[in-house]
Amino acid sequence: KAFESESKDNLFNANGFGEFKINQNLNEMFYEVENSRIDDCFFAKNRNIKLDVNFQIINNKVVVISSRQSGASDSFGIRVGDNESTVFQKHNNQKFEKKLNPYGDLKNDYSIIYWNDTRDMGLRYDIESKKVVAIYVGNENVSLMEGCA
């Protein structure tokens, strides 16, 4: 079910998710998701977050933060479950990169990524059949469809 935002801090933003920042070091509040590790890459959860939020970790640093939970939202007011048109509307027709999902239906499944000026940080929306199904924020790894591969 969709959640009511626990606090204004629990939002995806240009640099991370709430108080958690991309490129920050891992700490004891994170625990590794079982069977998610490939070499120095794995997924983690945070003990303090009630939402279903995934942290992709490479070399003990947070590189991508994502959620597929219905209602998860970002600082633009875009939520998982919104129509794709809401993404364009809230981003004021800003330039974006569209990336087809090689694992999905090539017509209907793709990602829309908004990069910062230096292209080292991006906000990504996964779209399936014109609906937002996931929100991600991350460094250059945010454009990888495979996660740890």
Side-chain angles (χ1 to χ4, degrees):
K1 68 180 172 54
F3 64 88
E4 292 308 310
S5 192
E6 294 164 53
S7 74
K8 283 264 180 272
D9 301 330
N10 254 343
L11 295 175
F12 286 89
N13 57 61
N15 303 306
F17 177 84
E19 67 192 73
F20 305 100
K21 302 289 176 237
I22 296 302
N23 299 321
Q24 83 172 56
N25 288 314
L26 207 56
N27 62 40
E28 64 284 343
M29 293 315 304
F30 293 93
Y31 61 93
E32 189 170 331
V33 173
E34 226 178 301
N35 301 321
S36 70
R37 180 181 285 272
I38 297 178
D39 301 323
D40 59 359
C41 179
F42 63 91
F43 286 89
K45 299 273 188 192
N46 186 289
R47 300 180 204 294
N48 292 341
I49 300 177
K50 291 185 178 62
L51 298 180
D52 188 13
V53 176
N54 290 302
F55 294 83
Q56 184 180 357
I57 311 297
I58 297 178
N59 293 324
N60 289 319
K61 284 193 185 315
V62 175
V63 296
V64 177
I65 306 172
S66 64
S67 182
R68 299 182 72 82
Q69 184 172 334
S70 177
S73 63
D74 69 10
S75 53
F76 288 91
I78 299 164
R79 295 177 175 274
V80 171
D82 280 352
N83 288 317
E84 176 189 46
S85 56
T86 305
V87 174
F88 298 127
Q89 192 183 356
K90 302 263 186 181
H91 278 277
N92 293 321
N93 298 317
Q94 201 184 341
K95 208 173 93 179
F96 62 90
E97 177 185 346
K98 182 175 178 179
K99 208 166 170 177
L100 294 177
N101 180 348
Y103 303 102
D105 169 340
L106 290 176
K107 277 194 184 61
N108 298 308
D109 302 355
Y110 47 88
S111 297
I112 295 168
I113 305 171
Y114 290 93
W115 293 101
N116 67 2
D117 294 339
T118 49
R119 286 189 66 86
D120 60 357
M121 204 72 88
L123 194 52
R124 169 178 147 194
Y125 304 94
D126 279 3
I127 307 292
E128 290 176 8
S129 302
K130 302 276 185 227
K131 293 267 189 227
V132 177
V133 295
I135 299 175
Y136 298 71
V137 62
N139 61 19
E140 58 280 356
N141 290 289
V142 81
S143 66
L144 302 176
M145 300 289 171
E146 288 82 17
C148 295

